[in-house]
Amino acid sequence: VQLQASGGGLVQAGDSLRLSCEASLRVFDIYAVGWFRQAPGKERELVAAITWSGDSTYYTDSVKGRFTISKNNAKNTVYLQMNSPKPEDTAVYYCAADTQRSTTHLAVLTSYDYWGQGTLVTVSS
């Protein structure tokens, strides 16, 4: 599985930004895709995730009501729509795929075994 993340950049607080994660090669092995982020000096955290079937999603509490994860089946692409971003959302964002299917819980970080490159999101106040 290969993942290509894109869409990062500089955005003002309160605006919006959409990240994309395109999957290729053996996409039929994917159970779920998650968006992670890592800010300087902080641990990587799972922001949102979606099953490849699209029937289940997960959001960390800090982004609920502001971010939306979705997928386009025809394009094998998962999106993270970031509305009303805050300066504390500034981080490098990564997408990752779970092909292990070891659990149905999307928030198990160790389940994600394929990673895309990061894309930097900077939110200015």
Side-chain angles (χ1 to χ4, degrees), residues 20-102:
S20 300
C21 176
E22 182 178 5
S24 59
L25 298 180
R26 300 185 65 84
V27 294
F28 46 84
D29 283 343
I30 298 175
Y31 170 68
V33 171
W35 280 102
F36 293 74
R37 66 185 178 188
Q38 188 165 21
K42 295 187 177 181
E43 293 187 353
R44 189 172 297 188
E45 67 167 337
L46 177 62
V47 176
I50 187 168
T51 51
W52 198 244
S53 63
D55 61 357
S56 183
T57 58
Y58 164 86
Y59 296 94
T60 194
D61 286 346
S62 62
V63 307
K64 286 180 180 177
R66 299 189 298 121
F67 292 7
T68 301
I69 191 168
S70 63
K71 66 184 298 288
N72 182 316
N73 292 330
K75 296 183 177 181
N76 290 329
T77 299
V78 174
Y79 303 101
L80 184 68
Q81 179 69 40
M82 304 171 61
N83 294 333
S84 301
K86 303 176 181 179
E88 51 263 43
D89 294 320
T90 295
V92 177
Y93 284 71
Y94 303 85
C95 60
D98 171 5
T99 68
Q100 300 182 85
R101 302 174 183 266
S102 59

Side-chain angles (χ1 to χ4, degrees), residues 97-116:
D98 171 5
T99 68
Q100 300 182 85
R101 302 174 183 266
S102 59
T103 176
T104 57
H105 297 287
L106 298 177
V108 178
L109 275 62
T110 54
S111 297
Y112 295 87
D113 50 344
Y114 287 89
W115 292 80

